[in-house]
Each structure stands twice: as structure tokens, then as C-alpha cells.
Amino acid sequence: MDFAQLSTERPRVSDQDPEEVLHRVFGYETFRPLQGDIIREVVSGGDALVLMPTGGGKSLCYQVPALVRAGTAIVISPLIALMQDQVAALKELGVRAAFLNSTMDFEQARDTENALMTGELDLLYCAPERLIQPRTLDLLHDASISLFAIDEAHCVSQWGHDFRSDYLQLSRLAQEFPSVPRIALTATADERTRKEIAERLSLTEARHFISGFDRPNIQYRIAPKTNANKQLLDFIKAEHDGDCGIVYCLSRNKVDATAKMLSDKGYTALPYHAGLNAGDRARNQERFLREDGVIIVATIAFGMGIDKPDVRFVAHLDLPKSLEAYYQETGRAGRDSKPSTAWMVYGLQDVIKLRQMLEGSMGNDHFKRVERQKLDAMLGLCEVTSCRRQVLLRYFGDSLEEPCGNCDTCLNPPETWDGTVAVQKALSCVFRTGQRFGVTYLIDVLRGSENERILQFGHQTVSTYGIGTDLSANDWKSVFRQLVANGYLRADPEGYGALQLTEQCRPLLKGKVPIQLRKDPVVKSSGGRGSSGSSGRRKIADQITDTAGWEALRACRKVLAEEKGVPPYVIFHDATLFEILEKRPNSLAEMAEINGVGAAKLEKYGETFLAALRELDGL
Ligand code: ADP
Ligand code: ZN
């Protein structure tokens, strides 16, 4: 590869310093941890496998080398809808970026290809299925390529829920372009997945960069499900009124119902799932990205690669299947590093449903065993009585010495109680009634209800009838949930939530080993108290004293965004706007000091915002 020759043709990229690019183009002061190392590795021609949490700053890891190295960087990204915004954001920065995907007509594609061939592009985003077409590969061979960046690299893993078969073909890049550095990036990968990525993308020789997984600005909270709709409303109202957020549900019907419920209460809530037609889906995603304060209610079909920085909360009304999924979905909150909430309610039915789906799913025993372990880890997080963040980080091979102080179990430590006797009663009730009944029935038997079914089955005569009046029905639900979550009971895979004993429960049934249970915290209807405020991390909205100024700057940004047809955060992030408001720059030179104001944006918007500030001051 003859870079020397190319760099004389394009002097602006020859001997640039990554730091200089960071300041001038992106307007940022310093690299975040690892970014500098990764960038140096790629700039010098090495391969890299990068694991960084969402919001950690993965994009810069290939965007800066793309500007420093000669030639065009090819970015492989699975979601066509998002390429557009990424390219728009880069263009705003004065970077020569384009994309190539199936939404373009012939002429657009040809223009882009021409730009590639004549060296007029710094970055070209490309869908994997497009990239692996022989025609595209031929083009790339004739062009000058600076690097390949493979985004969302976990899509290559067959264990993950984002598997894309086209990704498997990307290993060809290693053979066909042996001298072009490749960088694969993902936010989600346990050790097994990480190995799989390295093998399947022929990156076994690559340097691995694994950044701390912690997202300290996200507050993790998981509560027992009582009345999910009301709990969600209370939560949003108390802590995130007017904020932008994502609500995840398992089924399309529930997505529709929840979006309607929130809309009826006056929120701008839009559904997103694979059952909507493509136009509606695109429109709803667009509004979520562009308008302020939109809540999107979605199945997991939504969100991969969503890089909206100011999502303030992610709520789960159903349990994700694994900690990978949970961490990825919750990770979409607070990319801008501002306080955000990951909130979830879950109950016994969730556990039963997921366990049944898993057992009933296709796939061989090995596959099911892996899935079972993943679900167990997820349930472990739900039932833990110590710091949730420590559990999460440990799972991803990271660690946190002290409890975090910013999750519900830290803020409001749950009590435990000696459940040995209760558990023995519960298990024995399952046994005595023939392992054929669901939890409601079992609780009725334990509490000595006289309902007809019990009489019909003659269960008023079993030895466990009426021995559980010391606990409320809700307490019993909590006992059963924990027994299922911890694998002592399983739901009958054939049928309607009938609970059955597992091998594992024998010692408990005999009362031989003591067991501590979690006491579910009493849900306070006022909600929110003592959770968000006490952590010492305040919302941006709370930090703003000059509301009029804030609104004026936002209005100014909105006008510019509409003129350009881009989301407001592409003009400036909230954090940048906030800094402008605080520092009140008086000149373009002072404006250039603000984080997030690079040369291109300074030139395009500097004066407009200075004028807005002057107007505010009545000058
Ligand atoms: P990821 O792709 O890892 O989820 P992004 O690349 O979207 O994260 O970056 C998240 C946010 O952090 C973006 O708004 C980005 O502009 C910002 N960011 C990244 N690196 C830096 C840096 N060195 N200094 C300041 N902000 C940064
Ligand atoms: Zn904690």
C-alpha cells in the first residue's frame, strides 16, 4: 500500500496528529481512557478489538484514524437507518462522509462510488450485505482504503440476539485486504462472545482494548411488578416528566397498549415494533430522534446503534433474556454522561414466561444450556440483595471494589429474612398437589382458601392446606418468584405455568439447609423519594437556573436543526449548550474553548449563538 504517494495528493491528511484532529474537528479537549491507545494502534496500521460501553466513545476510535490516515475508511454498520444520521453529524463537522446502502437509487450510489474512487471521502459507511457483494469488493480493491471499522461486532455471534449472517462473511476482509488495518467495536460481549468475535473476524492477532464497563451516570433500579402501568406512570411523572426515554416490552400488543396508555396521560409516546409498516416505524424513530421529550415504546427491535445522547431513562416492563441484552438496552440511556435511570419491574410471570420460551425454543441442548445460564444470570441480578452494579460489572469481567451508591439496592438496601420454613411449606405444597398447579392456586391452598376448585380437587385435605396464613398472598408470590428465579422450581414446559420441583430443591424440601430470602421493598405510591435526589447526581434540568437563557439557546438550536434537516443534537449536544450558557463566551475565540465546538461548527454556528447570547443580555 503506497500511503506516501497518496498523502502527497492529499496533504491535509498526511502528518496530522490525532490530538490535533480531536481539537480542531471534534472540538474536544482530551481523549477518553483507551481512546488514545486505540487510535494510535490503528493509525500505525494495527488491528484492534474494542470493547467499550455504550456512550464510551467508540466512534472516535475509528473516525480520528480515518482522518489521520490516507485513503477512505470503510465503516460497516448493520443499521441503514442510522447511517444517515451518523453521516449527517460528520458532515456537520466538516468531515467528508457518505454511505452506501440499498435505500439509494442507482445515481446516488454511482456518485458515492465515484467519490470513493477519486479519493474524495474520509469515511464511507456501508451495510454488511452491500459490502460483501463482489461488485463492492472489486471497487474497494481499486480504491485507497485507510481502514475497516466493523461496528456492532457482536452481530457476528450466533449466541447473541443481534446475529446477522452477513457479518460472518466479513472475515474475508482479512484475506482480501491483508495490509489494511481492521478495528472491530462492540458494547456487548462476555468472554465467550469476545472470543467468538476475534475468531470469526480473523482478529485473533489484534490487540484487545477492553475499557471499564461501568456507566456511573446510570442509576439501576429493579422493582417487583405489582401494577406495571401505574408503576411506570408514577416513575415517569416523579422523575422524568418531559424527558426523552425508551420503554421496552416483550410483545407488539403490549407495546401498542403501553404507548396508548402513556399518550392518554398526555405524554408523547410512540410505538415501535416489527409489526408496524416501515413508513410508520421510520417516522416514529425520526420523531424520537428529532423532537424533545418523546418516549418511544418498543420491542427489542428498536435501538441498536441509536446514538441519541440525551435519552434520560430506559424502562423495562418485561424481563430481558440475558444480562447482555439488559446492559445493551439500558446502555442507551445517558450517552452524554448525564444522570439517567435504568428502571425495570419484573414478576413471577416474567420468569415463567421466559423459562417456557427458552425450553420450547428450537436449538440443541448446548444452545439451551447457554441460554439457561444467561437467563439465570439475569434473574440473579433481579434478586440480588447487594449492589446491582457490582453484579453487572463482575459478569462482564470488570470489577468495582465498593458498592456503587447509585443503584436501588445501595440506596435502599433490601432486608432479608429467614425463609427456611416458608420455602419448605411452599415446596411441599407443590409436591402434595401433584405438581400440576400454578402459583395462584398454590397460594390459595397454603392460605386455606375455600374456593371451588380446591374443593373440587379435594385439596382441602392435603397436609399443606391452610399452613401459610402467616404470610400475605403477596409475600407468597415473592417466595415463589424467588424459588423459580433461583431454579428450585420450574414452570411446566408443556403447560399453563404449573410449577414443578427440580432436583436442586431436595435439601430445601427436607428443611436441611437454611435459606435467606429477599424482602421486597414496600412500594411507596409517591415514588421517587430518596432515590434520584439523594445520590448527589442532579439532572441537567435541575442545574439550570437560567431557564430563559436555556430555552433561548434551545430555540436557536432548533431553528438551525430544522434548516438543516438534522436532529438538534447534531448541531450541539445539551452538554455543549449548557456550557455555552454557563461560560457565556463573548467572542468566537472564547466560543472555540467550549467542549464540542470544533472548527466547522464554530464557523457555521458561532456567530448565531453569540448573537443569541447578546440578545439575552439585552445588548
Ligand atoms: P459509543 O459509540 O461508544 O456508544 P459515541 O461514540 O456515540 O459512543 O460517543 C458518545 C458520546 O461521547 C458522543 O456524544 C461523543 O461525541 C462523546 N465523546 C466521545 N469521545 C469524547 C471525548 N474524547 N471528549 C468528549 N466527548 C467525547
Ligand atoms: Zn450499587
Side-chain angles (χ1 to χ4, degrees), residues 470 520 570:
D470 52 331
D520 290 335
V570 167

Side-chain angles (χ1 to χ4, degrees), residues 214-222 235 239-240 312-314 326 330 333-334 338-344 388-389 392 404-412 528-537:
D214 193 13
R215 302 285 312 280
N217 60 313
I218 298 183
Q219 183 177 88
Y220 296 100
R221 283 161 41 195
I222 303 176
F235 161 69
E239 299 175 47
H240 289 290
R312 291 274 70 86
F313 68 91
V314 170
Y326 174 77
T330 56
K338 301 282 177 255
S340 313
T341 318
W343 179 95
M344 177 163 91
R388 294 207 203 267
R389 194 180 310 268
L392 274 170
C404 76
N406 193 29
C407 71
D408 56 349
T409 45
C410 279
L411 293 165
N412 221 341
R529 280 275 85 195
S531 42
S532 63
S534 62
S535 68
R537 299 160 193 267

Side-chain angles (χ1 to χ4, degrees), residues 34-35 37-39 41-42 46-52 58 61-62 148-157 167 181-211 213:
L34 281 195
Q35 277 180 336
D37 296 338
I38 296 165
I39 288 167
E41 178 73 17
V42 177
D47 293 337
L49 176 57
V50 173
L51 239 93
M52 235 186 224
K58 282 185 289 300
C61 296
Y62 56 84
F148 288 105
I150 302 166
D151 208 3
E152 312 283 358
H154 61 278
C155 289
V156 81
S157 162
Y167 261 65
R182 288 170 304 133
I183 170 172
L185 312 100
T186 177
T188 303
D190 55 14
E191 219 170 303
R192 182 188 357 236
T193 317
R194 205 178 304 157
K195 242 182 93 194
E196 211 182 341
I197 294 175
E199 279 165 13
R200 299 210 159 159
L201 294 178
S202 305
L203 280 170
T204 41
E205 305 286 300
R207 262 185 79 186
H208 290 208
F209 297 88
I210 297 160
S211 104
F213 259 70

